[in-house]
Amino acid sequence: ASSEDLIGDKNYAFSIQGLLTVPLFDGGLRYGLRRSAAAVVEQRKELADAAERSAKLETIQAGRASTVAETALLVARESRDLAKEGDERAQRAFDEGAGTSVDLVEAARRLRQAELELALRELELVRARVAALLASASCSY
């Protein structure tokens, strides 16, 4: 029906339309999107490989740090034992009259310093072992 007056006494008007759209050329959008998606997938694979390499390297470095900390602890223990022996010798020398009180104080200072160094090396060893454990741990989430 139409609101326009037509010749005659009845207002009939019909209109039927159809639209068919066929894209002949989309400007390469579809192929561009496909290449872009493939590049993103490749980028994610490379990022995953880099993360895996980084994790392996971190595990190796943590293991080496633990070994170095153990060696440093052994050296600190030997240094402490030598400082203890030096302190005992300084005490004997002072008791026999061959040493001075300055020698006693210096030997005691060296012994305290060696004991402090030993305690620090023990702490470093514990830290290195914890870091190695965390680096080699695998999380499921």
Side-chain angles (χ1 to χ4, degrees), residues 85-133:
E85 184 179 329
D87 185 51
E88 291 170 358
R89 287 186 182 191
Q91 182 65 40
R92 268 189 271 134
F94 182 76
D95 291 343
E96 293 174 3
T100 64
S101 63
V102 174
D103 294 336
L104 279 177
V105 170
E106 184 62 27
R109 184 194 63 77
R110 277 191 231 117
L111 178 59
R112 282 192 309 273
Q113 184 66 32
E115 287 175 348
L116 180 63
E117 187 72 22
L118 179 63
L120 288 174
R121 296 298 172 226
E122 287 174 348
L123 177 63
E124 286 179 5
L125 178 61
V126 169
R127 280 183 167 174
R129 285 182 177 168
V130 167
L133 181 66

Side-chain angles (χ1 to χ4, degrees), residues 36-108:
S36 177
V40 168
V41 167
E42 187 65 28
Q43 184 182 26
R44 297 298 179 208
K45 285 180 183 177
E46 292 297 325
L47 286 174
D49 289 344
E52 185 177 347
R53 283 192 305 272
S54 176
K56 286 179 182 178
L57 180 64
E58 187 177 338
T59 303
I60 291 169
Q61 287 176 339
R64 287 182 184 164
S66 180
T67 303
V68 168
E70 288 173 2
T71 304
L73 178 65
L74 291 175
V75 170
R77 205 171 269 146
E78 289 176 5
S79 295
R80 192 264 328 254
D81 293 342
L82 289 174
K84 193 175 198 178
E85 184 179 329
D87 185 51
E88 291 170 358
R89 287 186 182 191
Q91 182 65 40
R92 268 189 271 134
F94 182 76
D95 291 343
E96 293 174 3
T100 64
S101 63
V102 174
D103 294 336
L104 279 177
V105 170
E106 184 62 27

